[in-house]
Amino acid sequence: MNNDGFDIKAGVDLIEEQISGACARCGRKREEIRLMAVSKFHPLESVEEAYKQGIRLFGENRVQEGISKFSKFRENFPAAKAEVHLIGSLQRNKAKSAVQFFDCIQSVDRDPLIEELGALTGERKTPLIILLEYHTGEESKAGFSGLDSLYRGAEKALSCPGLSPQGLMTLAPFTDDEKTLRASFRQLYRAAEELEKRFPQDGGKKRWTTLSMGMSGDFEIAIEEGSTLVRIGTAIFGARHL
Ligand SMILES: *Cc1c(COP(=O)(O)O)cnc(C)c1O
């Protein structure tokens, strides 16, 4: 339970059931999709409860909030193999702390940020995993807009030895209209296919394999359209209090 009496276990169970259902409908395997619990604005206790219910991937959208919550989490569960990804827009002045803390930055949305991240990671032994955020129709949100700017971003990221770009992230438009949602997810899927053609990896192994798309309201459609990582907040933790 969280403070509102929202049942996190029931939330996780239901989402699992719905993910399996969506997979069955479109002939995909459950293992193809990672479930992220988006814990922004929710307290450490909720994170710990979700961890106990089997969640091993978390998303935060603010650098400071993510670091303070998850450094306590790591203190309390030192052996936990849980990842934390940054999914919210990143300002340059917070890039240094973000790079030191997060397992992946999904919200890489502009060239100057790639340059900054590249400079901060130049000496790393293991490159920082990043996703490029692509604008697929949401009115006000960030992201590379159009394939040409995405290609330039990809090229820049690939030129940084400390960065390992592994896929794309998008936010679909805020709508219930299934057609619009599908169109947005399809756009992300096709953009990844294009990147794979244009920027293949040596040895023929695919590089642009992570498609982070789908939230509480639209993740089943996202799975049908090829999502490999769904980001679920409300349906696991209940409503956020801003
Ligand atoms: C908040 C947030 C989510 C989760 O949204 P819900 O609708 O609560 O599931 C997913 N992705 C991003 C980038 C977010 O900021």
Side-chain angles (χ1 to χ4, degrees):
M1 295 280 172
N2 74 4
N3 290 337
D4 296 341
F6 185 88
D7 189 339
I8 293 171
K9 179 183 187 320
V12 171
D13 289 349
L14 181 59
I15 286 288
E16 274 299 344
E17 207 176 296
Q18 289 168 325
I19 292 176
S20 300
C23 285
R25 280 198 298 282
C26 61
R28 298 185 64 196
K29 295 198 189 86
R30 171 64 187 88
E31 311 87 81
E32 292 172 30
I33 293 126
R34 298 185 75 192
L35 169 58
M36 167 190 279
V38 177
S39 46
K40 65 184 184 199
F41 301 113
H42 291 285
L44 177 63
E45 296 70 46
S46 295
V47 167
E48 295 185 345
E49 175 64 19
Y51 179 74
K52 286 178 191 152
Q53 299 309 325
I55 298 289
R56 294 294 180 267
L57 172 61
F58 293 91
E60 285 283 338
N61 75 336
R62 291 182 184 179
V63 175
Q64 275 327 312
E65 183 188 342
I67 292 179
S68 61
K69 201 183 299 176
F70 280 88
S71 34
K72 285 193 210 107
F73 174 78
R74 286 171 185 172
E75 266 172 49
N76 295 354
F77 292 81
K81 288 206 172 58
E83 285 178 35
V84 194
H85 294 189
L86 184 69
I87 59 171
S89 87
L90 176 58
Q91 302 308 313
R92 284 179 80 161
N93 61 355
K94 306 238 170 78
K96 191 172 179 189
S97 14
V99 156
Q100 288 166 350
F101 194 81
F102 291 96
D103 299 294
C104 167
I105 298 176
Q106 295 202 358
S107 41
V108 177
D109 59 359
R110 58 200 193 275
D111 288 345
L113 180 60
I114 296 175
E115 284 157 22
E116 184 75 26
L117 296 175
L120 289 166
T121 53
E123 309 289 306
R124 279 169 77 117
K125 290 198 193 78
T126 12
L128 173 70
I129 297 171
I130 60 166
L131 303 181
L132 300 180
E133 183 171 352
Y134 190 46
H135 192 277
T136 59
E138 212 281 328
E139 301 77 14
S140 61
K141 286 281 171 8
F144 288 95
S145 197
L147 280 175
D148 285 336
S149 85
L150 185 67
Y151 294 154
R152 279 196 297 277
E155 194 162 20
K156 203 176 265 303
L158 288 167
S159 74
C160 302
L163 298 180
S164 175
Q166 300 191 353
L168 300 175
M169 188 268 259
T170 200
L171 278 131
F174 292 115
T175 174
D176 293 334
D177 183 55
E178 196 179 314
K179 262 195 193 149
T180 312
L181 291 167
R182 274 191 204 283
S184 155
F185 296 140
R186 257 172 222 182
Q187 227 182 304
L188 198 72
Y189 185 91
R190 296 217 183 96
E193 282 186 325
E194 287 305 316
L195 285 173
E196 205 67 69
K197 279 186 221 151
R198 263 183 118 97
F199 304 101
Q201 189 159 240
D202 292 342
K205 209 164 157 251
K206 285 195 169 191
R207 186 203 304 276
W208 305 91
T209 48
T210 300
L211 285 182
S212 172
M213 58 188 198
M215 314 190 349
S216 293
D218 57 21
F219 70 94
E220 291 170 283
I221 300 173
I223 288 171
E224 290 169 10
E225 297 299 337
S227 172
T228 69
L229 191 159
V230 291
R231 308 181 307 266
I232 311 294
T234 314
I236 287 180
F237 293 114
R240 288 181 284 273
H241 304 291
L242 308 191

